[in-house]
Amino acid sequence: QAVDWYVKKAKSPGVELIGYSGGGAVAALVAGRRSDVTSLRTVAGNLDPKGLNEYHRVSPLDPESLDPMEVAAKIAAIPQYHFIGDGDKVVPALISENFKAKSGASACLHFMTVSGADHAKGWTENWPQLLATPVTCSDK
């Protein structure tokens, strides 16, 4: 409903979704429910909560939680850029690799490792450049 409100207020034909950490999971899940998403960007995004729990050897907070891995293939045609910190030990690159594998072959998925970024640091100073990175499907 919130996204609908902003799209209507902006009088926009579509929406670009951006999410950080767990917000990356939310953005991917929202993209899976909408038909007007023009792009998806995640920053240190937890795109595989089950894989992340296994990596950290912790139990899930709620086994009934929605899982972005379940919409990975469905949203593979949406232009996407997933930014990964090279020093991120909270959400390591493995999580994005799992999402990429689940998405299948797609010219719309792009992944970038950001040097000097961990889960919390290194994003603010890099954000203008990352935001300016075009999010397109390379076969279009």
Side-chain angles (χ1 to χ4, degrees), residues 14-60:
V15 61
E16 296 181 42
L17 299 173
I18 301 171
Y20 163 75
S21 192
V26 172
L29 289 163
V30 169
R33 293 182 175 204
R34 301 185 65 88
S35 61
D36 61 347
V37 176
T38 58
S39 70
L40 169 64
R41 289 182 178 96
T42 67
V43 176
N46 182 6
L47 299 169
D48 180 11
K50 290 177 186 170
L52 189 63
N53 290 336
E54 290 173 12
Y55 174 81
H56 287 293
R57 297 181 181 171
V58 297
S59 57

Side-chain angles (χ1 to χ4, degrees), residues 5 11 24-25 44 53 55 59 66 87 94 98 100 114 118-119 123:
W5 186 86
K11 298 179 183 165
N53 290 336
Y55 174 81
S59 57
L66 299 174
L94 167 70
N98 292 348
K100 182 178 183 178
V114 178
D118 62 22
H119 195 70
W123 297 110

